[in-house]
Amino acid sequence: MFSSRKTILILVLLVTLPILVYWPGLSGGFLFDDFHSIVLNEGILLKNFTIDALSKSALSGFQIGLFGRPISMLSFGINYYFFGLDTLLSLINILIHVLNGVGAYFLVSVFIKQSNGIRFDKKATTTLAAIVALIWVIHPIGLSSILYIVQRMTC
């Protein structure tokens, strides 16, 4: 499907570039809604890794919004269980962003190959998908959703 050497290089870039770009922002602490949604939210402060505790964590966000964002709240609870209230939470946001960037690369490649319009050769398809994914992972528009901890809900 993809040339392995070029794909490996692209994947290395998709992983390392956003980490390098966003690394300086990891030293920031909790801000604004982080306190209400994470620090002061007893529901995500998991002490046990049980189904009951995980369910409580997932459902602890109903004071935040209409649907409570259970996946985000569960991820904060799991973060707390393994790392505590550490700003490592921002690093996890970067890793989620990196995984989304890798997914975007493969998704754009598939979309280009499946399009009924312009036909691209294999090299052009790979290059275009890489450019789109690389722009997405390092674009400043993602800054607040990556480094502002509670904004994981938008990733």
Side-chain angles (χ1 to χ4, degrees):
M1 182 175 176
F2 301 97
S3 108
S4 61
R5 185 176 274 164
K6 189 170 188 176
T7 301
I8 290 170
L9 175 63
I10 291 167
L11 293 177
V12 167
L13 284 172
L14 284 172
V15 169
T16 56
L17 274 178
I19 291 172
L20 292 173
V21 166
Y22 293 114
W23 192 266
L26 291 179
S27 61
F30 294 104
L31 299 168
F32 309 119
D33 291 349
D34 291 340
F35 291 101
H36 174 71
S37 302
I38 300 169
V39 178
L40 302 174
N41 184 351
E42 292 290 324
I44 67 158
L45 305 180
L46 289 178
K47 306 287 190 252
N48 304 315
F49 203 78
T50 63
I51 296 295
D52 186 47
L54 292 170
S55 297
K56 182 181 176 189
S57 177
L59 299 175
S60 69
F62 281 104
Q63 76 277 9
I64 296 165
L66 180 61
F67 299 108
R69 302 188 174 166
I71 295 171
S72 297
M73 300 314 290
L74 177 62
S75 74
F76 291 134
I78 292 170
N79 271 158
Y80 178 80
Y81 181 79
F82 288 106
F83 306 111
L85 285 177
D86 190 346
T87 54
L88 182 67
L89 292 166
S90 291
L91 179 60
I92 302 300
N93 289 2
I94 292 173
L95 296 177
I96 291 169
H97 187 66
V98 164
L99 288 174
N100 286 333
V102 169
Y105 167 70
F106 288 110
L107 192 62
V108 169
S109 296
V110 169
F111 284 163
I112 292 170
K113 289 178 181 180
Q114 299 298 322
S115 70
N116 291 325
I118 302 170
R119 297 282 182 208
F120 292 100
D121 65 5
K122 190 175 187 179
K123 183 179 178 183
T125 298
T126 303
T127 303
L128 182 57
I131 290 169
V132 169
L134 285 168
I135 289 171
W136 189 80
V137 296
I138 63 170
H139 198 282
I141 200 166
L143 184 69
S144 66
S145 63
I146 296 164
L147 297 178
Y148 180 28
I149 298 169
V150 78
Q151 289 303 310
R152 176 182 303 175
M153 298 176 187
T154 65
C155 290

